[in-house]
Amino acid sequence: MTDVTGAPADVLHTLFHSDQGGHEQVVLCQDPASGLKAVIALHSTALGPALGGTRFYPYATEAEAVADALNLARGMSYKNAMAGLDHGGGKAVIIGDPETIEPARRTALLLAYGRFVASLGGRYVTACDVGTYVADMDVVARECRWTTGRSPEHGGAGDSSVLTAFGVYQGMRASAQHLWGDPSLRGRRVGIAGVGKVGHHLVEHLAAEGAEIVVTDVREDAVRRITERHPGVRAVADTEELIRVEGLEIYAPCALGGALDDASVPVLTARVVCGAANNQLAHPGVEKDLADRGILYAPDYVVNAGGVIQVADELHGFDFERCKAKAARIYDTTLTIFARAKADGIPPAAAADRIAEQRMAEAAAARR
């Protein structure tokens, strides 16, 4: 079901002609009093209530926002399935610039958004994403009990980026084991694009193990925080320079999606791609281009699932050690995907999709 009353023509075209397809419900939200314009997309509830974050971003058009919500929601279905969670996939996007909005208006907007989520009656559970934070979820929770990723002071687990980074680190270890026969990252040259919420925690894991780290970020202060704490970390100007670093062994995209495209893959020097960003493959076929170049790709929605493992656990009474143990299993899951890819003669991304789709299909069949 899709609520499209009054939707512009370009938005309708995106909804009904998207190559992401198969979404159960898309809700277009508008609250004139607060200025809220948002999209809530539910891709699948076969495994349980859809779970996914809220992205706050200054989209150029409403159609672009809808397309991003559809793509992200679909990704969450696969992520939650591969993480072994009893949740389907959903995502919300709020149109606007979170860096410039006034605090009072931000609060009003988030409260309005919370009312829209609550109107879905538990079919969608929301959390943080790019542009939203734990404090924002505390506000949303004032209007909606189906909110996770809240602060400890409000009954939540706090920042989920800690376990997201831990899961990516486990994916890197699995990639090293598969490719080089040893999970150790000591001495490995790792390039991280984006050292914000997740990236800076990933640096800590790699530094503790003795990896050689190269970073870049569009924000100079984020890079400076890393290099001041770890003087041995090398910083480069931008991602274009990072992916060409001589001797780079692992590339970790940890910012926005689409990092692997027709321009970056041919010049990428790394043997492994394993990062925290969602939707790293810019379009279908990129996974084959990586495989053809002998680059091992650890599927993004598999290795970055530590955060969603945490926020899902919060719904049942958060226990950090229990969540960390679940996130540690990302190592084994990643190895399983590589083995399936080799056995079936397909790229790892396709192997992960097959495993996730099988779990969702079995769950859907059991409910009929």
mmCIF file of all heavy atoms in Angstrom, residues 222-257:
data_model
loop_
_atom_site.group_PDB
_atom_site.id
_atom_site.type_symbol
_atom_site.label_atom_id
_atom_site.label_comp_id
_atom_site.label_asym_id
_atom_site.label_seq_id
_atom_site.Cartn_x
_atom_site.Cartn_y
_atom_site.Cartn_z
ATOM 1 N N ALA A 222 37.360 16.465 11.677
ATOM 2 C CA ALA A 222 37.280 15.021 11.909
ATOM 3 C C ALA A 222 38.638 14.374 11.675
ATOM 4 O O ALA A 222 39.070 13.504 12.444
ATOM 5 C CB ALA A 222 36.230 14.400 10.993
ATOM 6 N N VAL A 223 39.332 14.787 10.626
ATOM 7 C CA VAL A 223 40.659 14.260 10.342
ATOM 8 C C VAL A 223 41.641 14.683 11.425
ATOM 9 O O VAL A 223 42.458 13.875 11.901
ATOM 10 C CB VAL A 223 41.149 14.740 8.962
ATOM 11 C CG1 VAL A 223 42.608 14.340 8.741
ATOM 12 C CG2 VAL A 223 40.272 14.161 7.863
ATOM 13 N N ARG A 224 41.552 15.938 11.836
ATOM 14 C CA ARG A 224 42.467 16.442 12.857
ATOM 15 C C ARG A 224 42.305 15.689 14.173
ATOM 16 O O ARG A 224 43.292 15.386 14.865
ATOM 17 C CB ARG A 224 42.226 17.942 13.064
ATOM 18 C CG ARG A 224 43.249 18.595 14.002
ATOM 19 C CD ARG A 224 43.173 20.109 13.935
ATOM 20 N NE ARG A 224 41.829 20.611 14.195
ATOM 21 C CZ ARG A 224 41.034 21.162 13.270
ATOM 22 N NH1 ARG A 224 41.444 21.243 12.011
ATOM 23 N NH2 ARG A 224 39.829 21.585 13.585
ATOM 24 N N ARG A 225 41.065 15.350 14.524
ATOM 25 C CA ARG A 225 40.835 14.584 15.754
ATOM 26 C C ARG A 225 41.561 13.250 15.705
ATOM 27 O O ARG A 225 42.145 12.808 16.707
ATOM 28 C CB ARG A 225 39.330 14.361 15.956
ATOM 29 C CG ARG A 225 39.000 13.478 17.155
ATOM 30 C CD ARG A 225 37.517 13.358 17.401
ATOM 31 N NE ARG A 225 36.802 12.722 16.306
ATOM 32 C CZ ARG A 225 35.525 12.320 16.389
ATOM 33 N NH1 ARG A 225 34.848 12.520 17.496
ATOM 34 N NH2 ARG A 225 34.943 11.752 15.354
ATOM 35 N N ILE A 226 41.550 12.606 14.537
ATOM 36 C CA ILE A 226 42.206 11.310 14.394
ATOM 37 C C ILE A 226 43.728 11.447 14.445
ATOM 38 O O ILE A 226 44.415 10.705 15.162
ATOM 39 C CB ILE A 226 41.786 10.646 13.065
ATOM 40 C CG1 ILE A 226 40.290 10.304 13.079
ATOM 41 C CG2 ILE A 226 42.631 9.398 12.792
ATOM 42 C CD1 ILE A 226 39.882 9.309 14.121
ATOM 43 N N THR A 227 44.273 12.380 13.688
ATOM 44 C CA THR A 227 45.736 12.492 13.593
ATOM 45 C C THR A 227 46.354 13.000 14.894
ATOM 46 O O THR A 227 47.497 12.674 15.205
ATOM 47 C CB THR A 227 46.133 13.398 12.430
ATOM 48 O OG1 THR A 227 45.481 14.669 12.551
ATOM 49 C CG2 THR A 227 45.751 12.763 11.101
ATOM 50 N N GLU A 228 45.605 13.797 15.644
ATOM 51 C CA GLU A 228 46.126 14.242 16.941
ATOM 52 C C GLU A 228 46.155 13.094 17.939
ATOM 53 O O GLU A 228 47.069 12.988 18.758
ATOM 54 C CB GLU A 228 45.273 15.394 17.476
ATOM 55 C CG GLU A 228 45.469 16.710 16.716
ATOM 56 C CD GLU A 228 44.577 17.821 17.231
ATOM 57 O OE1 GLU A 228 43.691 17.533 18.086
ATOM 58 O OE2 GLU A 228 44.736 18.972 16.784
ATOM 59 N N ARG A 229 45.154 12.222 17.879
ATOM 60 C CA ARG A 229 45.102 11.081 18.798
ATOM 61 C C ARG A 229 46.068 9.983 18.367
ATOM 62 O O ARG A 229 46.652 9.290 19.208
ATOM 63 C CB ARG A 229 43.674 10.532 18.862
ATOM 64 C CG ARG A 229 43.504 9.327 19.778
ATOM 65 C CD ARG A 229 42.052 8.957 19.948
ATOM 66 N NE ARG A 229 41.885 7.727 20.661
ATOM 67 C CZ ARG A 229 41.930 7.582 21.985
ATOM 68 N NH1 ARG A 229 42.154 8.639 22.740
ATOM 69 N NH2 ARG A 229 41.753 6.406 22.550
ATOM 70 N N HIS A 230 46.238 9.839 17.040
ATOM 71 C CA HIS A 230 47.106 8.797 16.499
ATOM 72 C C HIS A 230 48.066 9.441 15.498
ATOM 73 O O HIS A 230 47.788 9.457 14.281
ATOM 74 C CB HIS A 230 46.276 7.711 15.809
ATOM 75 C CG HIS A 230 45.303 7.013 16.706
ATOM 76 N ND1 HIS A 230 45.684 6.056 17.619
ATOM 77 C CD2 HIS A 230 43.950 7.143 16.847
ATOM 78 C CE1 HIS A 230 44.620 5.607 18.273
ATOM 79 N NE2 HIS A 230 43.561 6.261 17.819
ATOM 80 N N PRO A 231 49.188 9.951 15.968
ATOM 81 C CA PRO A 231 50.131 10.656 15.075
ATOM 82 C C PRO A 231 50.636 9.813 13.916
ATOM 83 O O PRO A 231 51.064 10.355 12.888
ATOM 84 C CB PRO A 231 51.280 11.032 16.023
ATOM 85 C CG PRO A 231 50.657 11.075 17.383
ATOM 86 C CD PRO A 231 49.625 10.001 17.379
ATOM 87 N N GLY A 232 50.567 8.501 14.040
ATOM 88 C CA GLY A 232 51.041 7.635 12.964
ATOM 89 C C GLY A 232 50.065 7.499 11.808
ATOM 90 O O GLY A 232 50.406 6.951 10.755
ATOM 91 N N VAL A 233 48.836 7.991 11.994
ATOM 92 C CA VAL A 233 47.833 7.909 10.928
ATOM 93 C C VAL A 233 48.146 8.945 9.860
ATOM 94 O O VAL A 233 48.402 10.109 10.158
ATOM 95 C CB VAL A 233 46.416 8.131 11.485
ATOM 96 C CG1 VAL A 233 45.400 8.271 10.352
ATOM 97 C CG2 VAL A 233 46.019 6.973 12.401
ATOM 98 N N ARG A 234 48.098 8.525 8.615
ATOM 99 C CA ARG A 234 48.357 9.419 7.490
ATOM 100 C C ARG A 234 47.034 9.940 6.928
ATOM 101 O O ARG A 234 46.078 9.173 6.785
ATOM 102 C CB ARG A 234 49.114 8.660 6.413
ATOM 103 C CG ARG A 234 49.335 9.414 5.106
ATOM 104 C CD ARG A 234 50.002 8.493 4.103
ATOM 105 N NE ARG A 234 49.983 9.008 2.753
ATOM 106 C CZ ARG A 234 50.261 8.284 1.665
ATOM 107 N NH1 ARG A 234 50.581 6.997 1.814
ATOM 108 N NH2 ARG A 234 50.212 8.820 0.460
ATOM 109 N N ALA A 235 46.959 11.217 6.631
ATOM 110 C CA ALA A 235 45.755 11.814 6.045
ATOM 111 C C ALA A 235 46.033 12.221 4.603
ATOM 112 O O ALA A 235 47.118 12.707 4.281
ATOM 113 C CB ALA A 235 45.312 13.026 6.856
ATOM 114 N N VAL A 236 45.048 12.000 3.723
ATOM 115 C CA VAL A 236 45.156 12.437 2.330
ATOM 116 C C VAL A 236 44.001 13.379 2.028
ATOM 117 O O VAL A 236 43.027 13.468 2.783
ATOM 118 C CB VAL A 236 45.163 11.244 1.356
ATOM 119 C CG1 VAL A 236 46.397 10.382 1.576
ATOM 120 C CG2 VAL A 236 43.892 10.404 1.502
ATOM 121 N N ALA A 237 44.092 14.070 0.902
ATOM 122 C CA ALA A 237 43.173 15.167 0.612
ATOM 123 C C ALA A 237 41.735 14.722 0.407
ATOM 124 O O ALA A 237 40.798 15.375 0.894
ATOM 125 C CB ALA A 237 43.668 15.938 -0.615
ATOM 126 N N ASP A 238 41.537 13.637 -0.310
ATOM 127 C CA ASP A 238 40.166 13.228 -0.634
ATOM 128 C C ASP A 238 40.122 11.743 -0.988
ATOM 129 O O ASP A 238 41.150 11.057 -1.015
ATOM 130 C CB ASP A 238 39.608 14.074 -1.789
ATOM 131 C CG ASP A 238 40.521 14.089 -3.014
ATOM 132 O OD1 ASP A 238 41.194 13.061 -3.274
ATOM 133 O OD2 ASP A 238 40.580 15.121 -3.700
ATOM 134 N N THR A 239 38.913 11.264 -1.266
ATOM 135 C CA THR A 239 38.728 9.847 -1.563
ATOM 136 C C THR A 239 39.422 9.451 -2.855
ATOM 137 O O THR A 239 39.956 8.331 -2.966
ATOM 138 C CB THR A 239 37.224 9.515 -1.660
ATOM 139 O OG1 THR A 239 36.596 9.860 -0.415
ATOM 140 C CG2 THR A 239 37.013 8.033 -1.919
ATOM 141 N N GLU A 240 39.433 10.342 -3.839
ATOM 142 C CA GLU A 240 40.104 10.032 -5.100
ATOM 143 C C GLU A 240 41.581 9.726 -4.878
ATOM 144 O O GLU A 240 42.144 8.828 -5.513
ATOM 145 C CB GLU A 240 39.952 11.193 -6.080
ATOM 146 C CG GLU A 240 38.534 11.331 -6.638
ATOM 147 C CD GLU A 240 38.468 12.336 -7.767
ATOM 148 O OE1 GLU A 240 39.541 12.774 -8.232
ATOM 149 O OE2 GLU A 240 37.351 12.679 -8.182
ATOM 150 N N GLU A 241 42.207 10.443 -3.969
ATOM 151 C CA GLU A 241 43.602 10.169 -3.650
ATOM 152 C C GLU A 241 43.725 8.896 -2.829
ATOM 153 O O GLU A 241 44.649 8.090 -3.032
ATOM 154 C CB GLU A 241 44.227 11.348 -2.897
ATOM 155 C CG GLU A 241 45.705 11.150 -2.573
ATOM 156 C CD GLU A 241 46.329 12.339 -1.851
ATOM 157 O OE1 GLU A 241 45.659 13.388 -1.715
ATOM 158 O OE2 GLU A 241 47.494 12.204 -1.416
ATOM 159 N N LEU A 242 42.796 8.693 -1.906
ATOM 160 C CA LEU A 242 42.854 7.527 -1.024
ATOM 161 C C LEU A 242 42.811 6.219 -1.799
ATOM 162 O O LEU A 242 43.597 5.297 -1.528
ATOM 163 C CB LEU A 242 41.693 7.583 -0.022
ATOM 164 C CG LEU A 242 41.602 6.414 0.966
ATOM 165 C CD1 LEU A 242 42.792 6.433 1.919
ATOM 166 C CD2 LEU A 242 40.295 6.474 1.749
ATOM 167 N N ILE A 243 41.898 6.113 -2.764
ATOM 168 C CA ILE A 243 41.745 4.834 -3.458
ATOM 169 C C ILE A 243 42.921 4.517 -4.376
ATOM 170 O O ILE A 243 43.063 3.379 -4.834
ATOM 171 C CB ILE A 243 40.426 4.782 -4.267
ATOM 172 C CG1 ILE A 243 40.403 5.843 -5.364
ATOM 173 C CG2 ILE A 243 39.241 4.927 -3.328
ATOM 174 C CD1 ILE A 243 39.167 5.768 -6.252
ATOM 175 N N ARG A 244 43.773 5.504 -4.600
ATOM 176 C CA ARG A 244 44.960 5.297 -5.431
ATOM 177 C C ARG A 244 46.241 5.135 -4.612
ATOM 178 O O ARG A 244 47.331 5.013 -5.178
ATOM 179 C CB ARG A 244 45.144 6.479 -6.395
ATOM 180 C CG ARG A 244 44.089 6.573 -7.488
ATOM 181 C CD ARG A 244 44.297 7.850 -8.307
ATOM 182 N NE ARG A 244 43.502 7.877 -9.534
ATOM 183 C CZ ARG A 244 42.242 8.271 -9.592
ATOM 184 N NH1 ARG A 244 41.626 8.663 -8.474
ATOM 185 N NH2 ARG A 244 41.589 8.270 -10.742
ATOM 186 N N VAL A 245 46.139 5.135 -3.282
ATOM 187 C CA VAL A 245 47.318 5.021 -2.425
ATOM 188 C C VAL A 245 48.084 3.744 -2.752
ATOM 189 O O VAL A 245 47.516 2.639 -2.799
ATOM 190 C CB VAL A 245 46.914 5.042 -0.941
ATOM 191 C CG1 VAL A 245 48.071 4.591 -0.044
ATOM 192 C CG2 VAL A 245 46.469 6.446 -0.529
ATOM 193 N N GLU A 246 49.358 3.872 -2.972
ATOM 194 C CA GLU A 246 50.194 2.721 -3.303
ATOM 195 C C GLU A 246 50.260 1.754 -2.125
ATOM 196 O O GLU A 246 50.461 2.158 -0.978
ATOM 197 C CB GLU A 246 51.606 3.192 -3.668
ATOM 198 C CG GLU A 246 52.523 2.077 -4.123
ATOM 199 C CD GLU A 246 53.899 2.578 -4.519
ATOM 200 O OE1 GLU A 246 54.101 3.816 -4.557
ATOM 201 O OE2 GLU A 246 54.779 1.735 -4.786
ATOM 202 N N GLY A 247 50.081 0.486 -2.412
ATOM 203 C CA GLY A 247 50.170 -0.536 -1.367
ATOM 204 C C GLY A 247 48.934 -0.652 -0.501
ATOM 205 O O GLY A 247 48.940 -1.400 0.487
ATOM 206 N N LEU A 248 47.850 0.059 -0.843
ATOM 207 C CA LEU A 248 46.611 -0.048 -0.070
ATOM 208 C C LEU A 248 46.082 -1.473 -0.179
ATOM 209 O O LEU A 248 45.988 -2.034 -1.281
ATOM 210 C CB LEU A 248 45.574 0.943 -0.609
ATOM 211 C CG LEU A 248 44.311 1.142 0.239
ATOM 212 C CD1 LEU A 248 44.659 1.829 1.552
ATOM 213 C CD2 LEU A 248 43.276 1.955 -0.534
ATOM 214 N N GLU A 249 45.747 -2.070 0.952
ATOM 215 C CA GLU A 249 45.277 -3.459 0.953
ATOM 216 C C GLU A 249 43.781 -3.568 1.234
ATOM 217 O O GLU A 249 43.105 -4.438 0.698
ATOM 218 C CB GLU A 249 46.071 -4.267 1.975
ATOM 219 C CG GLU A 249 47.538 -4.408 1.594
ATOM 220 C CD GLU A 249 48.358 -5.064 2.688
ATOM 221 O OE1 GLU A 249 48.698 -4.372 3.670
ATOM 222 O OE2 GLU A 249 48.656 -6.268 2.549
ATOM 223 N N ILE A 250 43.267 -2.687 2.090
ATOM 224 C CA ILE A 250 41.841 -2.707 2.432
ATOM 225 C C ILE A 250 41.299 -1.287 2.315
ATOM 226 O O ILE A 250 41.885 -0.341 2.846
ATOM 227 C CB ILE A 250 41.603 -3.236 3.866
ATOM 228 C CG1 ILE A 250 42.172 -4.652 4.017
ATOM 229 C CG2 ILE A 250 40.118 -3.214 4.208
ATOM 230 C CD1 ILE A 250 42.109 -5.190 5.442
ATOM 231 N N TYR A 251 40.185 -1.152 1.619
ATOM 232 C CA TYR A 251 39.516 0.143 1.473
ATOM 233 C C TYR A 251 38.195 0.091 2.224
ATOM 234 O O TYR A 251 37.388 -0.819 2.012
ATOM 235 C CB TYR A 251 39.280 0.451 -0.001
ATOM 236 C CG TYR A 251 38.405 1.648 -0.280
ATOM 237 C CD1 TYR A 251 38.610 2.871 0.372
ATOM 238 C CD2 TYR A 251 37.372 1.570 -1.219
ATOM 239 C CE1 TYR A 251 37.807 3.964 0.095
ATOM 240 C CE2 TYR A 251 36.569 2.667 -1.504
ATOM 241 C CZ TYR A 251 36.785 3.861 -0.840
ATOM 242 O OH TYR A 251 35.990 4.947 -1.103
ATOM 243 N N ALA A 252 37.984 1.059 3.123
ATOM 244 C CA ALA A 252 36.783 1.089 3.950
ATOM 245 C C ALA A 252 35.975 2.354 3.682
ATOM 246 O O ALA A 252 36.247 3.407 4.260
ATOM 247 C CB ALA A 252 37.156 1.009 5.430
ATOM 248 N N PRO A 253 34.963 2.286 2.800
ATOM 249 C CA PRO A 253 34.068 3.438 2.622
ATOM 250 C C PRO A 253 33.151 3.566 3.839
ATOM 251 O O PRO A 253 32.375 2.662 4.135
ATOM 252 C CB PRO A 253 33.261 3.074 1.371
ATOM 253 C CG PRO A 253 33.924 1.863 0.789
ATOM 254 C CD PRO A 253 34.590 1.168 1.917
ATOM 255 N N CYS A 254 33.252 4.672 4.544
ATOM 256 C CA CYS A 254 32.472 4.859 5.770
ATOM 257 C C CYS A 254 31.685 6.167 5.758
ATOM 258 O O CYS A 254 31.350 6.700 6.825
ATOM 259 C CB CYS A 254 33.388 4.813 6.990
ATOM 260 S SG CYS A 254 34.148 3.199 7.286
ATOM 261 N N ALA A 255 31.386 6.680 4.563
ATOM 262 C CA ALA A 255 30.583 7.899 4.469
ATOM 263 C C ALA A 255 29.265 7.551 3.781
ATOM 264 O O ALA A 255 28.629 6.565 4.123
ATOM 265 C CB ALA A 255 31.367 8.973 3.720
ATOM 266 N N LEU A 256 28.858 8.331 2.791
ATOM 267 C CA LEU A 256 27.611 8.059 2.086
ATOM 268 C C LEU A 256 27.807 6.970 1.041
ATOM 269 O O LEU A 256 28.924 6.562 0.735
ATOM 270 C CB LEU A 256 27.089 9.341 1.444
ATOM 271 C CG LEU A 256 26.664 10.447 2.421
ATOM 272 C CD1 LEU A 256 26.229 11.685 1.659
ATOM 273 C CD2 LEU A 256 25.546 9.970 3.347
ATOM 274 N N GLY A 257 26.683 6.488 0.463
ATOM 275 C CA GLY A 257 26.716 5.376 -0.472
ATOM 276 C C GLY A 257 27.258 5.743 -1.839
ATOM 277 O O GLY A 257 27.624 6.889 -2.118
#
